[in-house]
Amino acid sequence: DQCGSRGLGDVYKRQIMSIAEEEGIDKAGFKALFLSQEMKDKTKEDSYKARSMGANSFPSLVFIDEEGHLSVLKGYRSFEQIKKSIQLGWRSPA
């Protein structure tokens, strides 16, 4: 196995590796970093931080305004819906 694991996660890893290669990124270097413990730890940290902000579903967008107010838009939205939410002060459009 080219990514060092099996199952559905392996499918995603192969896709990510393929995209990296298509973009001209060094495959061996990317694989080493992508599968490293450091990257796993950083990913966990980001996940914990996102959850602490209320981004507990996928996808979620977190917006912090100039005054530090935090808003979270959860669930899939089209670009136009996201744009409208931002224009409305980051509230979900009805």
Side-chain angles (χ1 to χ4, degrees):
D1 171 274
Q2 78 178 27
C3 292
S5 67
R6 300 187 191 289
L8 187 56
D10 182 47
V11 173
Y12 297 132
K13 289 175 185 176
R14 280 197 306 267
Q15 289 174 333
I16 291 169
M17 294 297 295
S18 176
I19 292 167
E21 191 171 20
E22 288 171 13
E23 294 299 319
I25 298 171
D26 173 64
K27 189 175 179 179
F30 179 82
K31 180 180 176 183
L33 181 60
F34 182 72
L35 298 176
S36 70
Q37 187 61 47
E38 177 185 6
M39 190 60 63
K40 291 174 186 175
D41 292 344
K42 288 182 183 244
T43 300
K44 279 184 185 178
E45 288 174 25
D46 284 349
S47 178
Y48 294 144
K49 183 176 181 179
R51 285 184 182 154
S52 76
M53 295 177 164
N56 53 9
S57 63
F58 182 84
S60 294
L61 294 174
V62 177
F63 177 77
I64 304 172
D65 68 15
E66 304 84 24
E67 297 172 3
H69 300 112
L70 180 118
S71 298
V72 179
L73 186 61
K74 298 178 185 180
Y76 175 80
R77 303 286 193 280
S78 69
F79 173 76
E80 288 303 319
Q81 289 170 318
I82 294 169
K83 183 177 169 183
K84 187 173 184 179
S85 293
I86 292 169
Q87 291 168 339
L88 292 172
W90 206 254
R91 295 182 305 272
S92 278

